[in-house]
Amino acid sequence: MDFAFDDEQERLRARVRDFAAERLAPHYQSDDRAAAMRPELPGELARMGLLGLRVHREYGGSGADAVTTGLVLEELARADVNSCYLVLNAALVADILQANASPEQRADWLPALASGDLIPAICLTEPEHGSDAAAIEFRATPQDSAWLLDGEKTSIMLGMTATHGLVFARTGGPGARGVTAFLADLASAKREAFTDLGNRAAGRAHLTFDGLSAGPETIVGGEGLGFVQVMRGFDYSRALIALMATGTAQAAIDDALERARTRIAFGRPLGAFQGLSFPLVEYATQLRAGRALCYEALWRKDQGLPHTTEANMVKWWVPRMAADAVQQALLTFGQAGYSEELRQAQRLRDVIALQIADGTAQITKLVVARQLLGRDFAP
């Protein structure tokens, strides 16, 4: 068994870590206070090649495998987890387009995705349909040679920044097979930003569509196939999201370990007191275990092996564990950790969202239960 990254991956990780330390970490807290993503950020990530990670080389990307994509997201999250949503969405949409779009669509959209000219949002969730995504009510109605998109989408990460949305709309009867995916221009959609606990720079938003026209050339994969396409991608993205949580929590634990070395109390470093050092040991151990399972899931995807169980295991467990780890790191700083002057409080606010994104613990445990027991013996 080989648990090491290869030389090329290690070079990329070092390059991304340097970039994140220089261009992301200094803005992490100020972007949160501004509740807005810096307009130059997508371009900077694109020039690093990070928006085209999953885009095939023929379309201007690097054609990176799933493990490499996870490695990049973990490193970015150590500095600024909000920047990860640009890379995550680009990776997921690139996979969907390369698997389902026509050659003309791929030639049109994928180079723009890699260059940062096309910034995608995943427009699936609705006010009354979150976990029960197959029951969405948002409609696409045929009119002449186009479709008119009507309805509301909510909790759309990057909703305030995205140029395009992979919009899932009902074009047929009830259930998953009545849903079609459109890659629609969002210029005329009405956007309302949420006032959120965390991830403020990522611009989660409520989008309203009032007869937005989408031509047949915007349909991805064919009518009635949209829901099936995105659900296939979620297995993959759930492991990536777990690594975003891992990177955030590891940065918090690393800061807490440094605090335990340098802070003197009762004439000794904090680390000399097992009541402070042992909890950090516990979370360092759990983070290492969670990271290993994340990369196993991504490795299995790269090998063409089933990875549904592993990806959903890390999605229910790692974000919750990461939030606990960040909280323990915050407590290591005592009263100073509770201040917004340090990063620990913001990390805690930001990492909580990863317990909801792309499937709650209840949904992902249900998936695992059906994998382990079989659908006839599971909830």
Side-chain angles (χ1 to χ4, degrees):
M1 299 177 69
D2 185 357
F3 289 95
F5 296 119
D6 63 32
D7 290 344
E8 184 176 351
Q9 288 170 326
E10 288 290 2
R11 286 192 294 270
L12 176 61
R13 179 160 66 169
R15 191 163 67 93
V16 171
R17 183 171 292 193
D18 289 345
F19 165 79
E22 179 181 347
R23 296 300 307 152
L24 300 182
H27 302 283
Y28 179 52
Q29 291 170 282
S30 58
D31 286 355
D32 179 72
R33 296 185 186 107
M37 184 170 288
R38 289 174 291 122
E40 65 269 23
L41 181 56
E44 292 183 354
L45 291 169
R47 286 189 291 276
M48 281 286 293
L50 304 185
L51 299 187
L53 282 171
R54 293 290 290 174
V55 175
H56 293 167
R57 292 183 182 275
E58 64 184 294
Y59 299 113
S62 57
D65 61 17
V67 168
T68 301
T69 305
L71 177 153
V72 167
L73 284 167
E74 184 183 1
E75 288 301 326
L76 292 176
R78 291 173 64 93
D80 179 3
V81 70
N82 296 299
S83 69
C84 292
Y85 291 103
L86 289 163
V87 178
L88 176 72
N89 279 11
L92 180 56
V93 171
D95 275 15
I96 292 171
L97 294 180
Q98 285 166 162
N100 301 284
S102 69
E104 294 77 16
Q105 288 172 325
R106 293 197 295 270
D108 187 26
W109 290 332
L110 289 171
L113 191 67
S115 69
D117 293 328
L118 191 162
I119 301 172
I122 310 295
C123 300
L124 178 61
T125 301
E126 298 178 7
E128 299 301 324
H129 301 288
S131 295
D132 188 11
I136 63 171
E137 299 176 51
F138 186 103
R139 299 234 32 119
T141 305
Q143 185 178 85
D144 299 327
S145 61
W147 296 79
L148 300 183
L149 306 184
D150 285 286
E152 299 174 76
K153 295 292 184 180
T154 198
S155 192
I156 306 305
M157 197 62 80
L158 300 183
M160 298 304 294
T161 301
T163 63
H164 290 71
L166 191 64
V167 182
F168 296 86
R170 189 157 301 283
T171 55
R177 293 292 177 177
V179 176
T180 299
F182 297 80
L183 189 63
D185 191 317
L186 296 181
S188 63
K190 181 182 177 182
R191 314 183 195 212
E192 299 174 79
F194 283 98
T195 302
D196 282 337
L197 173 69
N199 296 130
R200 294 167 181 166
R204 192 173 70 102
H206 183 97
L207 305 183
T208 303
F209 297 76
D210 185 11
L212 187 150
S213 180
E217 71 280 359
T218 66
I219 293 178
V220 179
E223 291 183 40
L225 299 177
F227 186 78
V228 176
Q229 293 163 2
V230 77
M231 286 300 108
R232 288 178 185 148
F234 275 162
D235 272 355
Y236 161 54
S237 65
R238 283 169 177 164
L240 296 178
I241 286 172
L243 281 169
M244 289 163 54
T246 300
T248 305
Q250 188 64 63
I253 290 295
D254 287 347
D255 284 353
L257 291 169
E258 181 62 20
R259 175 74 168 183
R261 296 186 193 98
T262 58
R263 173 71 169 178
I264 303 300
F266 305 101
R268 305 169 69 190
L270 288 181
F273 299 94
Q274 68 182 42
L276 283 162
S277 61
F278 282 12
L280 298 180
V281 169
E282 292 168 9
Y283 285 113
T285 304
Q286 291 182 53
L287 283 169
R288 186 158 187 163
R291 179 183 293 108
L293 186 53
C294 287
Y295 283 114
E296 180 191 353
L298 297 178
W299 176 84
R300 292 180 68 86
K301 175 178 172 60
D302 287 333
Q303 302 304 311
L305 298 172
H307 55 282
T308 296
T309 298
E310 294 80 7
N312 282 277
M313 282 178 170
V314 294
K315 181 57 180 68
W316 79 255
W317 173 47
V318 172
R320 187 183 72 181
M321 178 265 290
D324 291 343
V326 176
Q327 181 181 0
Q328 185 61 51
L330 184 155
L331 294 174
T332 304
F333 284 82
Q335 55 82 23
Y338 198 60
S339 168
E340 287 285 347
E341 292 185 13
L342 299 183
R343 297 178 182 181
Q344 303 292 47
Q346 184 182 338
R347 286 170 175 150
L348 181 57
R349 290 189 286 104
D350 284 348
V351 80
I352 287 171
L354 300 178
Q355 297 181 64
I356 304 170
D358 277 21
T360 63
Q362 291 78 11
I363 291 297
T364 48
K365 286 179 183 179
L366 177 62
V367 173
V368 175
R370 289 175 176 177
Q371 292 286 316
L372 297 180
L373 295 168
R375 293 183 70 94
D376 292 340
F377 306 98

PDB file of all heavy atoms in Angstrom, residues 88-101:
ATOM      1  N   LEU A  88     -14.437  24.056  -6.288  1.00  0.00           N
ATOM      2  CA  LEU A  88     -15.358  22.925  -6.147  1.00  0.00           C
ATOM      3  C   LEU A  88     -16.425  22.951  -7.234  1.00  0.00           C
ATOM      4  O   LEU A  88     -16.680  21.945  -7.908  1.00  0.00           O
ATOM      5  CB  LEU A  88     -16.006  22.965  -4.763  1.00  0.00           C
ATOM      6  CG  LEU A  88     -17.069  21.900  -4.500  1.00  0.00           C
ATOM      7  CD1 LEU A  88     -16.423  20.534  -4.352  1.00  0.00           C
ATOM      8  CD2 LEU A  88     -17.878  22.252  -3.246  1.00  0.00           C
ATOM      9  N   ASN A  89     -17.093  24.104  -7.418  1.00  0.00           N
ATOM     10  CA  ASN A  89     -18.149  24.191  -8.426  1.00  0.00           C
ATOM     11  C   ASN A  89     -17.599  23.958  -9.830  1.00  0.00           C
ATOM     12  O   ASN A  89     -18.227  23.290 -10.651  1.00  0.00           O
ATOM     13  CB  ASN A  89     -18.840  25.553  -8.352  1.00  0.00           C
ATOM     14  CG  ASN A  89     -19.880  25.626  -7.257  1.00  0.00           C
ATOM     15  OD1 ASN A  89     -19.960  24.736  -6.412  1.00  0.00           O
ATOM     16  ND2 ASN A  89     -20.669  26.681  -7.247  1.00  0.00           N
ATOM     17  N   ALA A  90     -16.434  24.536 -10.099  1.00  0.00           N
ATOM     18  CA  ALA A  90     -15.835  24.346 -11.421  1.00  0.00           C
ATOM     19  C   ALA A  90     -15.537  22.875 -11.668  1.00  0.00           C
ATOM     20  O   ALA A  90     -15.761  22.353 -12.775  1.00  0.00           O
ATOM     21  CB  ALA A  90     -14.570  25.184 -11.553  1.00  0.00           C
ATOM     22  N   ALA A  91     -15.033  22.178 -10.660  1.00  0.00           N
ATOM     23  CA  ALA A  91     -14.707  20.755 -10.812  1.00  0.00           C
ATOM     24  C   ALA A  91     -15.960  19.930 -11.043  1.00  0.00           C
ATOM     25  O   ALA A  91     -16.003  19.062 -11.938  1.00  0.00           O
ATOM     26  CB  ALA A  91     -13.963  20.264  -9.572  1.00  0.00           C
ATOM     27  N   LEU A  92     -16.993  20.171 -10.244  1.00  0.00           N
ATOM     28  CA  LEU A  92     -18.213  19.387 -10.358  1.00  0.00           C
ATOM     29  C   LEU A  92     -18.899  19.630 -11.700  1.00  0.00           C
ATOM     30  O   LEU A  92     -19.321  18.701 -12.383  1.00  0.00           O
ATOM     31  CB  LEU A  92     -19.159  19.713  -9.203  1.00  0.00           C
ATOM     32  CG  LEU A  92     -20.497  18.966  -9.184  1.00  0.00           C
ATOM     33  CD1 LEU A  92     -20.286  17.460  -9.197  1.00  0.00           C
ATOM     34  CD2 LEU A  92     -21.315  19.376  -7.963  1.00  0.00           C
ATOM     35  N   VAL A  93     -18.999  20.903 -12.104  1.00  0.00           N
ATOM     36  CA  VAL A  93     -19.653  21.227 -13.373  1.00  0.00           C
ATOM     37  C   VAL A  93     -18.827  20.698 -14.548  1.00  0.00           C
ATOM     38  O   VAL A  93     -19.381  20.203 -15.538  1.00  0.00           O
ATOM     39  CB  VAL A  93     -19.900  22.743 -13.487  1.00  0.00           C
ATOM     40  CG1 VAL A  93     -20.375  23.124 -14.885  1.00  0.00           C
ATOM     41  CG2 VAL A  93     -20.936  23.173 -12.454  1.00  0.00           C
ATOM     42  N   ALA A  94     -17.499  20.772 -14.462  1.00  0.00           N
ATOM     43  CA  ALA A  94     -16.663  20.217 -15.526  1.00  0.00           C
ATOM     44  C   ALA A  94     -16.924  18.729 -15.700  1.00  0.00           C
ATOM     45  O   ALA A  94     -17.037  18.230 -16.834  1.00  0.00           O
ATOM     46  CB  ALA A  94     -15.184  20.468 -15.219  1.00  0.00           C
ATOM     47  N   ASP A  95     -17.042  17.997 -14.596  1.00  0.00           N
ATOM     48  CA  ASP A  95     -17.319  16.564 -14.687  1.00  0.00           C
ATOM     49  C   ASP A  95     -18.669  16.310 -15.355  1.00  0.00           C
ATOM     50  O   ASP A  95     -18.807  15.425 -16.209  1.00  0.00           O
ATOM     51  CB  ASP A  95     -17.308  15.943 -13.294  1.00  0.00           C
ATOM     52  CG  ASP A  95     -15.919  15.556 -12.842  1.00  0.00           C
ATOM     53  OD1 ASP A  95     -14.945  16.022 -13.466  1.00  0.00           O
ATOM     54  OD2 ASP A  95     -15.805  14.809 -11.863  1.00  0.00           O
ATOM     55  N   ILE A  96     -19.680  17.096 -14.957  1.00  0.00           N
ATOM     56  CA  ILE A  96     -21.019  16.916 -15.522  1.00  0.00           C
ATOM     57  C   ILE A  96     -21.019  17.219 -17.016  1.00  0.00           C
ATOM     58  O   ILE A  96     -21.589  16.472 -17.825  1.00  0.00           O
ATOM     59  CB  ILE A  96     -22.028  17.803 -14.776  1.00  0.00           C
ATOM     60  CG1 ILE A  96     -22.212  17.291 -13.339  1.00  0.00           C
ATOM     61  CG2 ILE A  96     -23.371  17.833 -15.501  1.00  0.00           C
ATOM     62  CD1 ILE A  96     -23.011  18.211 -12.445  1.00  0.00           C
ATOM     63  N   LEU A  97     -20.359  18.306 -17.412  1.00  0.00           N
ATOM     64  CA  LEU A  97     -20.343  18.687 -18.820  1.00  0.00           C
ATOM     65  C   LEU A  97     -19.568  17.682 -19.658  1.00  0.00           C
ATOM     66  O   LEU A  97     -19.986  17.299 -20.761  1.00  0.00           O
ATOM     67  CB  LEU A  97     -19.734  20.080 -18.982  1.00  0.00           C
ATOM     68  CG  LEU A  97     -20.525  21.242 -18.370  1.00  0.00           C
ATOM     69  CD1 LEU A  97     -19.793  22.559 -18.603  1.00  0.00           C
ATOM     70  CD2 LEU A  97     -21.938  21.315 -18.938  1.00  0.00           C
ATOM     71  N   GLN A  98     -18.425  17.232 -19.164  1.00  0.00           N
ATOM     72  CA  GLN A  98     -17.614  16.302 -19.954  1.00  0.00           C
ATOM     73  C   GLN A  98     -18.296  14.949 -20.106  1.00  0.00           C
ATOM     74  O   GLN A  98     -18.082  14.251 -21.102  1.00  0.00           O
ATOM     75  CB  GLN A  98     -16.227  16.172 -19.327  1.00  0.00           C
ATOM     76  CG  GLN A  98     -15.392  17.415 -19.612  1.00  0.00           C
ATOM     77  CD  GLN A  98     -14.130  17.556 -18.781  1.00  0.00           C
ATOM     78  OE1 GLN A  98     -13.254  18.313 -19.153  1.00  0.00           O
ATOM     79  NE2 GLN A  98     -14.026  16.877 -17.663  1.00  0.00           N
ATOM     80  N   ALA A  99     -19.149  14.613 -19.162  1.00  0.00           N
ATOM     81  CA  ALA A  99     -19.852  13.335 -19.245  1.00  0.00           C
ATOM     82  C   ALA A  99     -21.149  13.422 -20.038  1.00  0.00           C
ATOM     83  O   ALA A  99     -21.605  12.400 -20.574  1.00  0.00           O
ATOM     84  CB  ALA A  99     -20.152  12.817 -17.845  1.00  0.00           C
ATOM     85  N   ASN A 100     -21.734  14.621 -20.147  1.00  0.00           N
ATOM     86  CA  ASN A 100     -23.095  14.710 -20.671  1.00  0.00           C
ATOM     87  C   ASN A 100     -23.315  15.740 -21.775  1.00  0.00           C
ATOM     88  O   ASN A 100     -24.298  15.636 -22.510  1.00  0.00           O
ATOM     89  CB  ASN A 100     -24.057  15.034 -19.520  1.00  0.00           C
ATOM     90  CG  ASN A 100     -24.036  14.000 -18.422  1.00  0.00           C
ATOM     91  OD1 ASN A 100     -24.581  12.915 -18.557  1.00  0.00           O
ATOM     92  ND2 ASN A 100     -23.371  14.328 -17.312  1.00  0.00           N
ATOM     93  N   ALA A 101     -22.442  16.729 -21.905  1.00  0.00           N
ATOM     94  CA  ALA A 101     -22.664  17.785 -22.877  1.00  0.00           C
ATOM     95  C   ALA A 101     -22.278  17.325 -24.282  1.00  0.00           C
ATOM     96  O   ALA A 101     -21.489  16.389 -24.458  1.00  0.00           O
ATOM     97  CB  ALA A 101     -21.867  19.032 -22.497  1.00  0.00           C
TER      98      ALA A 101
END
